[in-house]
mmCIF file of all heavy atoms in Angstrom:
data_model
loop_
_atom_site.group_PDB
_atom_site.id
_atom_site.type_symbol
_atom_site.label_atom_id
_atom_site.label_comp_id
_atom_site.label_asym_id
_atom_site.label_seq_id
_atom_site.Cartn_x
_atom_site.Cartn_y
_atom_site.Cartn_z
ATOM 1 N N THR H 56 -66.007 -19.648 15.184
ATOM 2 C CA THR H 56 -66.790 -19.222 16.328
ATOM 3 C C THR H 56 -65.883 -18.515 17.350
ATOM 4 O O THR H 56 -64.680 -18.747 17.382
ATOM 5 C CB THR H 56 -67.474 -20.427 16.998
ATOM 6 O OG1 THR H 56 -66.481 -21.377 17.397
ATOM 7 C CG2 THR H 56 -68.465 -21.098 16.039
ATOM 8 N N PRO H 57 -66.451 -17.655 18.196
ATOM 9 C CA PRO H 57 -65.632 -16.943 19.169
ATOM 10 C C PRO H 57 -64.890 -17.902 20.121
ATOM 11 O O PRO H 57 -65.423 -18.926 20.536
ATOM 12 C CB PRO H 57 -66.654 -16.109 19.960
ATOM 13 C CG PRO H 57 -67.820 -15.984 19.054
ATOM 14 C CD PRO H 57 -67.855 -17.239 18.241
ATOM 15 N N ALA H 58 -63.645 -17.552 20.404
ATOM 16 C CA ALA H 58 -62.818 -18.341 21.327
ATOM 17 C C ALA H 58 -61.871 -17.413 22.061
ATOM 18 O O ALA H 58 -61.563 -16.320 21.606
ATOM 19 C CB ALA H 58 -62.035 -19.407 20.567
ATOM 20 N N SER H 59 -61.409 -17.879 23.211
ATOM 21 C CA SER H 59 -60.437 -17.142 24.017
ATOM 22 C C SER H 59 -59.113 -17.913 24.035
ATOM 23 O O SER H 59 -59.119 -19.126 24.046
ATOM 24 C CB SER H 59 -60.946 -16.975 25.449
ATOM 25 O OG SER H 59 -62.152 -16.235 25.442
ATOM 26 N N TYR H 60 -58.018 -17.140 24.049
ATOM 27 C CA TYR H 60 -56.682 -17.730 24.031
ATOM 28 C C TYR H 60 -55.855 -17.111 25.146
ATOM 29 O O TYR H 60 -55.964 -15.905 25.417
ATOM 30 C CB TYR H 60 -56.008 -17.472 22.691
ATOM 31 C CG TYR H 60 -56.737 -18.129 21.540
ATOM 32 C CD1 TYR H 60 -57.803 -17.486 20.924
ATOM 33 C CD2 TYR H 60 -56.367 -19.389 21.105
ATOM 34 C CE1 TYR H 60 -58.494 -18.094 19.891
ATOM 35 C CE2 TYR H 60 -57.040 -19.998 20.067
ATOM 36 C CZ TYR H 60 -58.106 -19.364 19.469
ATOM 37 O OH TYR H 60 -58.776 -19.980 18.452
ATOM 38 N N CYS H 61 -55.004 -17.935 25.773
ATOM 39 C CA CYS H 61 -54.038 -17.430 26.741
ATOM 40 C C CYS H 61 -52.733 -17.161 25.990
ATOM 41 O O CYS H 61 -52.230 -18.029 25.300
ATOM 42 C CB CYS H 61 -53.772 -18.490 27.816
ATOM 43 S SG CYS H 61 -55.160 -18.754 28.915
ATOM 44 N N VAL H 70 -55.310 -12.484 28.023
ATOM 45 C CA VAL H 70 -56.340 -13.237 27.279
ATOM 46 C C VAL H 70 -56.659 -12.482 26.008
ATOM 47 O O VAL H 70 -56.792 -11.261 26.005
ATOM 48 C CB VAL H 70 -57.604 -13.409 28.142
ATOM 49 C CG1 VAL H 70 -58.706 -14.078 27.337
ATOM 50 C CG2 VAL H 70 -57.291 -14.217 29.394
ATOM 51 N N LEU H 71 -56.762 -13.220 24.937
ATOM 52 C CA LEU H 71 -57.077 -12.676 23.626
ATOM 53 C C LEU H 71 -58.357 -13.339 23.146
ATOM 54 O O LEU H 71 -58.505 -14.561 23.264
ATOM 55 C CB LEU H 71 -55.942 -12.971 22.643
ATOM 56 C CG LEU H 71 -56.168 -12.664 21.174
ATOM 57 C CD1 LEU H 71 -56.296 -11.164 20.945
ATOM 58 C CD2 LEU H 71 -55.049 -13.239 20.345
ATOM 59 N N HIS H 72 -59.300 -12.567 22.643
ATOM 60 C CA HIS H 72 -60.559 -13.088 22.096
ATOM 61 C C HIS H 72 -60.516 -12.944 20.601
ATOM 62 O O HIS H 72 -60.146 -11.887 20.077
ATOM 63 C CB HIS H 72 -61.761 -12.335 22.675
ATOM 64 C CG HIS H 72 -61.803 -12.363 24.166
ATOM 65 N ND1 HIS H 72 -62.190 -13.463 24.885
ATOM 66 C CD2 HIS H 72 -61.463 -11.433 25.075
ATOM 67 C CE1 HIS H 72 -62.097 -13.206 26.175
ATOM 68 N NE2 HIS H 72 -61.666 -11.971 26.333
ATOM 69 N N ALA H 73 -60.898 -13.997 19.888
ATOM 70 C CA ALA H 73 -60.885 -13.959 18.420
ATOM 71 C C ALA H 73 -62.035 -14.787 17.873
ATOM 72 O O ALA H 73 -62.438 -15.786 18.449
ATOM 73 C CB ALA H 73 -59.553 -14.490 17.910
ATOM 74 N N ARG H 78 -59.666 -15.511 14.083
ATOM 75 C CA ARG H 78 -59.419 -16.768 14.767
ATOM 76 C C ARG H 78 -58.726 -17.772 13.844
ATOM 77 O O ARG H 78 -57.798 -18.461 14.245
ATOM 78 C CB ARG H 78 -60.725 -17.377 15.288
ATOM 79 C CG ARG H 78 -60.475 -18.724 15.968
ATOM 80 C CD ARG H 78 -61.702 -19.342 16.537
ATOM 81 N NE ARG H 78 -61.340 -20.627 17.146
ATOM 82 C CZ ARG H 78 -62.195 -21.456 17.682
ATOM 83 N NH1 ARG H 78 -63.481 -21.155 17.722
ATOM 84 N NH2 ARG H 78 -61.794 -22.586 18.183
ATOM 85 N N LYS H 139 -52.175 -20.520 23.547
ATOM 86 C CA LYS H 139 -52.981 -21.732 23.591
ATOM 87 C C LYS H 139 -54.425 -21.358 23.868
ATOM 88 O O LYS H 139 -54.697 -20.307 24.483
ATOM 89 C CB LYS H 139 -52.443 -22.728 24.625
ATOM 90 C CG LYS H 139 -52.475 -22.217 26.021
ATOM 91 C CD LYS H 139 -51.903 -23.232 26.988
ATOM 92 C CE LYS H 139 -51.899 -22.645 28.397
ATOM 93 N NZ LYS H 139 -51.280 -23.503 29.355
ATOM 94 N N GLU H 140 -55.317 -22.194 23.400
ATOM 95 C CA GLU H 140 -56.735 -21.899 23.592
ATOM 96 C C GLU H 140 -57.045 -22.005 25.088
ATOM 97 O O GLU H 140 -56.592 -22.931 25.760
ATOM 98 C CB GLU H 140 -57.608 -22.877 22.804
ATOM 99 C CG GLU H 140 -59.044 -22.417 22.735
ATOM 100 C CD GLU H 140 -59.872 -23.139 21.692
ATOM 101 O OE1 GLU H 140 -59.326 -23.946 20.937
ATOM 102 O OE2 GLU H 140 -61.078 -22.850 21.630
ATOM 103 N N ALA H 141 -57.798 -21.034 25.590
ATOM 104 C CA ALA H 141 -58.143 -20.997 27.004
ATOM 105 C C ALA H 141 -59.216 -22.051 27.306
ATOM 106 O O ALA H 141 -60.064 -22.335 26.456
ATOM 107 C CB ALA H 141 -58.666 -19.620 27.404
ATOM 108 N N GLN H 142 -59.144 -22.640 28.467
ATOM 109 C CA GLN H 142 -60.148 -23.609 28.891
ATOM 110 C C GLN H 142 -61.431 -22.876 29.225
ATOM 111 O O GLN H 142 -61.417 -21.883 29.957
ATOM 112 C CB GLN H 142 -59.655 -24.404 30.107
ATOM 113 C CG GLN H 142 -58.367 -25.169 29.859
ATOM 114 C CD GLN H 142 -58.504 -26.184 28.767
ATOM 115 O OE1 GLN H 142 -59.553 -26.760 28.557
ATOM 116 N NE2 GLN H 142 -57.424 -26.415 28.034
ATOM 117 N N GLN H 143 -62.525 -23.360 28.725
ATOM 118 C CA GLN H 143 -63.829 -22.719 28.959
ATOM 119 C C GLN H 143 -64.409 -23.151 30.284
ATOM 120 O O GLN H 143 -64.308 -24.183 30.754
ATOM 121 C CB GLN H 143 -64.811 -23.051 27.831
ATOM 122 C CG GLN H 143 -64.308 -22.599 26.479
ATOM 123 C CD GLN H 143 -64.288 -21.082 26.321
ATOM 124 O OE1 GLN H 143 -64.730 -20.318 27.168
ATOM 125 N NE2 GLN H 143 -63.701 -20.627 25.253
#
Side-chain angles (χ1 to χ4, degrees):
T56 59
S59 298
Y60 296 86
C61 291
V70 175
L71 171 68
H72 304 284
R78 178 178 179 183
K139 63 181 177 184
E140 193 165 356
Q142 301 299 328
Q143 301 291 353

